[in-house]
Amino acid sequence: MTDRFDVIIIGMGPGGEACAGRLIAAGKRVAVIERELIGGECAYWACIPSKTLLRPPEARSEATRAAGLGTPALDWAGLRGYRDYMVRHLDDTAQVSGYAKAGAAVVKGTAKLAGRGRVQAGGQLLEADHVVIATGSQPVRPPIEGLDQVTVWTNREATTVRDIPSRVLLIGGSAVGAELGTFYARMGAAVTIIQRAGRLIDREDPRVGALAEQALAADGVTVRTGRTAARAERTAGGTVVTLDDGTQVETDVVILSTGRRPATGGLGPDTAGIQPDERGAIGVDERCAAGEGLWALGDVTGVALFTHVAMYQGRVVADNILGRQRTASYHGIPRVVFGDPEIAAVGLTTAQARAAGINVAAAEISLADAIARPWTYERDPRGTLGLIADRDRRVLAGAWAVAPLASEWIHQAALAIRAGIPVDVLLDQVAQFPTYSEAYLAALEQLAL
């Protein structure tokens, strides 16, 4: 028996949910397919648990830096219990019920495309005018000799941890590595980060990586950049990982933070006339269309593996299905690492801007030297802001900040870049005193335009 729908959505992470919510609200008959938990990786094993875990150690650090405060104690049992609450105890019963009550058909199982507009899942054959692929991504497992013989965690085990290990080795110094390194170090583990690139957070300007390394070192994290893990072996005391320079690191657990790749295995995209690229990504156009009646969104597109991008694409796809012609723009998308201090960036790096032929003007300021807010926020205040501008067009091309609350106030630069707001307009803006946002004026005035 074949069930007929207006839209079938394969994968119910944040992007799939954003798409489904709009379509259901518009009265479309929708079938949603999820092989694990509705809410996806972000809700259960990534964004939500990691930020929940990071917050209490961050608050403790903030207390030590604020004048007149004692140092609060960390309660791991209490934090772990709240983390479990935030990830719904890995139970999506309420989400399944909610979609069913809203009129959607919920199918739990692995989906496989069975031709144009046809999907097999949960022992059923479903048909629809539109099929949306939102299957997300999966962690990359590096080819390290002996890795299968030792204790290895991905972000899933690392964010659902029950007992904090004494020693942690993180392979990869990107956002995940920096965040988990901060958390485990502040929970008492001896942490080492191994990074293949010559600096941490290497997708950003070099200064960002240098400042991130300083912050991690202050928490006792050992950072080894320009190194790779060559071999892992189990010993009586745990695990020994040998690096490419012959040095060794002893650990209790190896955590992989080596990136993710689109998850399309077993989906059968060829039956619908599409061929993923060498990474497994499904190519889409500016409308997020992958073919006639076929759409893709989120990590599976390989465009930008961020939850907020997946949700944005979900809205774009839904609007196009509903006949509201819309294209996606990835200009001015913020990128944040929730370390302490936070790392936030948007737009181009200095190197990217120059490679694009932009006549670059750049400025970097110490927040403590430029504005009052850092001093009211903490003793021995931290914070750096960098701006990259296009001299010829007199607009911002990029921005980055390593500072408290940077995830919140980077959006001022994100909007300026996305909307092409002239620097002269930004210079005339009046910011609330005292706030971190005031730093933009100080940095803009340093630009040699």
Side-chain angles (χ1 to χ4, degrees), residues 38-58:
I38 290 180
E41 193 78 20
C42 175
Y44 298 96
W45 301 287
C47 318
I48 296 301
S50 65
K51 280 51 179 180
T52 299
L53 291 172
L54 281 163
R55 179 56 188 151
E58 177 187 60

Side-chain angles (χ1 to χ4, degrees), residues 1-3 123-126:
M1 181 178 178
T2 302
D3 290 325
Q124 305 174 56
L125 178 61
L126 292 73

Side-chain angles (χ1 to χ4, degrees), residues 77-358:
L79 171 52
R80 186 176 60 195
Y82 187 65
R83 182 271 319 274
D84 292 346
Y85 162 77
M86 288 297 293
V87 300
R88 308 162 185 162
H89 300 277
L90 302 182
D91 180 2
D92 68 349
T93 302
Q95 283 64 46
V96 171
S97 176
Y99 278 105
K101 287 179 180 177
V106 180
V107 180
K108 297 301 287 287
T110 300
K112 184 174 183 179
L113 297 172
R116 183 173 295 172
R118 295 162 65 89
V119 180
Q120 292 177 333
Q124 305 174 56
L125 178 61
L126 292 73
E127 291 186 346
D129 296 328
H130 300 275
V131 174
V132 180
I133 301 172
T135 48
S137 60
Q138 58 193 17
V140 172
R141 192 176 182 90
I144 299 171
E145 180 186 344
L147 195 63
D148 292 338
Q149 308 303 315
V150 302
T151 301
V152 177
W153 292 353
T154 66
N155 63 288
R156 292 196 169 195
E157 293 82 10
T159 59
T160 56
V161 62
R162 306 307 300 175
D163 298 303
I164 303 295
S166 297
R167 300 168 299 180
V168 168
L169 171 62
L170 281 148
I171 299 180
S174 60
V176 173
E179 290 182 1
L180 290 177
T182 298
F183 168 71
Y184 278 100
R186 289 183 168 185
M187 296 305 295
V191 176
T192 301
I193 296 176
I194 305 300
Q195 168 75 328
R196 177 189 297 270
R199 64 180 189 272
L200 297 178
I201 324 292
D202 59 313
R203 72 185 178 199
E204 307 298 351
D205 267 287
R207 277 288 287 154
V208 173
L211 292 168
E213 185 168 347
Q214 289 177 20
L216 286 162
D219 279 324
V221 176
T222 298
V223 177
R224 300 286 305 277
T225 56
R227 298 268 68 90
T228 60
R231 185 174 67 256
E233 55 187 323
R234 188 179 297 279
T235 65
T239 293
V240 172
V241 175
T242 303
L243 307 187
D244 57 350
D245 63 352
T247 59
Q248 295 184 323
V249 179
E250 295 183 357
T251 187
D252 297 309
V253 61
V254 174
I255 301 179
L256 302 181
S257 55
T258 45
R260 302 180 69 84
R261 63 171 179 266
T264 50
L267 183 62
D270 56 307
T271 67
I274 57 174
Q275 184 62 49
D277 67 14
E278 65 279 359
R279 301 170 298 161
I282 294 176
V284 294
D285 64 15
E286 69 278 2
R287 300 169 64 242
C288 295
E292 185 179 347
L294 188 63
W295 310 82
L297 61 88
D299 288 5
V300 76
T301 67
V303 173
L305 278 60
F306 299 116
T307 294
H308 44 295
V309 171
M311 295 169 71
Y312 169 60
Q313 290 176 319
R315 298 190 295 271
V316 169
V317 168
D319 283 350
N320 280 309
I321 290 174
L322 293 170
R324 308 163 188 163
Q325 295 300 313
R326 185 174 180 185
T327 59
S329 168
Y330 306 102
H331 191 57
I333 300 292
R335 308 177 296 270
V336 173
V337 180
F338 289 84
D340 185 13
E342 292 180 344
I343 300 165
V346 63
L348 302 177
T349 65
T350 304
Q352 289 169 341
R354 287 179 175 145
I358 293 174

